[in-house]
Amino acid sequence: MALAPTMLMAPALREEVADFVADVVTAPGQARHEIRAIRGPEADTIANFARRILAAGGDLGGQRPRTVKEAPYLGRGIANGGLIPQDAFVTSTRFEEWLAG
């Protein structure tokens, strides 16, 4: 069994995040002190993303637990999407596309 915190997340493909960062830091006239946010195109719980990885034949850190359970130990704000930026650049690759790749 794997235990995951009850929290919403919006994962982004690392290559798209790297491209975004490179574009921001190399754009002429951009203020480098601005805070920029980036997120993936879909939000779900960590546990559901883990279940989808396992269902596709993947593993979680080299392990293939039979069940993934959630535990509400990080607080309501995080559980309800408090770490997902609303005003953000949204990457284009969906989770299913990443799983298939």
Side-chain angles (χ1 to χ4, degrees), residues 17-92:
V17 173
D19 288 346
F20 175 79
V21 171
D23 289 347
V24 168
V25 299
T26 59
Q30 290 294 316
R32 301 280 193 296
H33 64 278
E34 280 185 51
I35 295 174
R36 304 287 175 93
I38 186 170
R39 58 167 280 183
E42 62 184 296
D44 203 346
T45 64
I46 288 178
N48 283 336
F49 282 120
R51 290 180 190 114
R52 290 164 69 182
I53 290 169
L54 293 170
D59 63 65
L60 306 176
Q63 303 293 314
R64 291 202 36 82
R66 290 184 177 185
T67 59
V68 178
K69 298 204 178 217
E70 295 181 61
Y73 54 83
L74 293 175
R76 286 186 193 158
I78 292 174
N80 294 323
L83 295 178
I84 300 173
Q86 298 305 308
D87 185 22
F89 174 81
V90 179
T91 60
S92 61

